[in-house]
Amino acid sequence: PSINKLAIRVFQKAGNFLENSALYLDIIHRNLEIKKLFEVSQKLLASLNTDEILDFILESLNEVIPYDASVIFLLDNENDELLPKASFGYSDKTNELAMKVGQGACGWVAKNKQISNIDDVNIAENYYHLRKETQSQVAIPLIIQDEVI
């Protein structure tokens, strides 16, 4: 074969190799996600200790999607406010923070039952600055049977 045909075949093989490598890495990541979901479901079934379950969820999530800080708020229906129940990467003061439904980004998420993605917290109007290191935030409502928990 000519040099050009040989080069084309080499480049095609290299392209196939790179594509297969990307697929392999995607499978590994999806496998980790499935494993973590399975571990979380086992923990939920094995324990009735809410604090333990929420801490485990944060640990597992950090292994799948690395982050430097997170908080799980649960809804107090009597007072219509969100109370922090588990956190990672925040000061101890976070455990004292409570916000009304509709207040701040997390309160907006609870009120509207929608995800909030803030790319730059420094220009967001409804973001509470609890950590100066925070640059962006994602808030996701926890919903069971169409009710925020």
Side-chain angles (χ1 to χ4, degrees):
S2 72
I3 293 291
N4 287 342
K5 287 182 179 178
L6 183 61
I8 290 171
R9 290 188 76 191
V10 168
F11 287 131
Q12 286 174 337
K13 294 288 184 187
N16 288 341
F17 174 77
L18 291 174
E19 186 177 329
N20 289 338
S21 296
L23 290 171
Y24 177 74
L25 291 174
D26 187 49
I27 289 169
I28 289 174
H29 184 72
R30 291 193 185 281
N31 189 30
L32 175 63
E33 290 174 347
I34 291 167
K35 179 182 175 195
K36 287 300 160 189
L37 285 171
F38 181 72
E39 288 176 5
V40 168
S41 66
Q42 281 186 314
K43 190 68 157 183
L44 290 171
L45 294 173
S47 174
L48 295 177
N49 182 335
T50 304
D51 293 338
E52 188 177 312
I53 291 169
L54 295 176
D55 287 338
F56 183 77
I57 289 171
L58 289 180
E59 290 170 20
S60 298
L61 179 61
N62 195 22
E63 291 179 32
V64 176
I65 306 169
Y67 57 82
D68 57 283
S70 64
V71 179
I72 294 178
F73 290 96
L74 295 182
L75 180 62
D76 174 359
N77 284 314
E78 288 182 22
N79 297 313
D80 200 33
E81 62 185 5
L82 299 170
L83 303 174
K85 294 297 181 179
S87 66
F88 172 83
Y90 286 93
S91 70
D92 292 336
K93 292 180 182 179
T94 304
N95 293 332
E96 301 168 8
L97 176 69
M99 63 183 75
K100 291 288 186 186
V101 171
Q103 181 181 27
C106 293
W108 181 91
V109 165
K111 179 179 179 182
N112 294 287
K113 300 179 184 177
Q114 294 181 19
I115 294 173
S116 167
N117 183 15
I118 301 174
D119 293 324
D120 185 350
V121 298
N122 294 311
I123 60 173
E125 295 177 12
N126 63 345
Y127 176 76
Y128 283 144
H129 295 272
L130 297 175
R131 295 176 63 241
K132 62 182 176 186
E133 302 90 358
T134 300
Q135 297 174 5
S136 61
Q137 171 185 289
V138 173
I140 302 169
L142 299 176
I143 300 173
I144 296 178
Q145 296 179 347
D146 202 40
E147 296 296 322
V148 173
I149 61 168

